[in-house]
Amino acid sequence: YPVAPGEILSVAITDNVSPDKTRKLTTAYDHDKRLLGKSILDEYGYVMFGKVYKKDENKEKRVATVHASFGGLLMRLKSDPDQLQEFHFADQIYILIRKTTDSIA
């Protein structure tokens, strides 16, 4: 996903991209726009499907770390434990990325 210097990205992480959030998408066919219909996927330029493979928490320092793999592209997300409490080992997640109209001067 090409990004030029000064461009700003909007990044979201979710566990469900179905239009009504009631059904889990389990196969590649479930993501077919003809079957899925309009969804949050239409609002982003780049979407990856991945899995949480590790979660660490340092209670003394109040820092949690979530590790996820998106087909081999690894993500390490560090934050306050309260912000990452919904992430659990083996969760299937989506990362959605789009360019914003804002830019850095």
Side-chain angles (χ1 to χ4, degrees):
Y1 189 69
V3 179
E7 287 184 313
I8 298 175
L9 298 177
S10 172
V11 178
I13 299 173
T14 185
D15 65 346
N16 194 323
V17 294
S18 71
D20 57 6
K21 301 277 188 201
T22 58
R23 72 173 210 238
K24 288 281 187 187
L25 307 178
T26 56
T27 72
Y29 299 111
D30 293 337
H31 297 86
D32 186 323
K33 185 174 175 79
R34 295 169 295 182
L35 300 174
L36 184 60
K38 186 162 178 55
S39 74
I40 193 170
L41 298 173
D42 301 323
E43 299 176 27
Y44 286 83
Y46 195 77
V47 178
M48 292 184 290
F49 176 75
K51 192 171 205 175
V52 174
Y53 66 90
K54 183 178 177 185
K55 182 177 180 183
D56 299 318
E57 189 170 333
N58 185 328
K59 294 184 190 244
E60 291 176 9
K61 294 183 180 180
R62 291 227 7 104
V63 174
T65 306
V66 170
H67 302 264
S69 176
F70 298 91
L73 180 62
L74 303 179
M75 174 185 76
R76 182 177 64 196
L77 187 60
K78 278 183 149 180
S79 185
D80 180 276
D82 295 336
Q83 297 294 320
L84 301 178
Q85 67 183 349
E86 297 297 321
F87 290 93
H88 305 287
F89 176 76
D91 279 353
Q92 296 180 342
I93 59 174
Y94 298 84
I95 188 164
L96 305 103
I97 304 169
R98 67 177 168 211
K99 295 178 184 178
T100 67
T101 56
D102 300 329
S103 65
I104 299 173

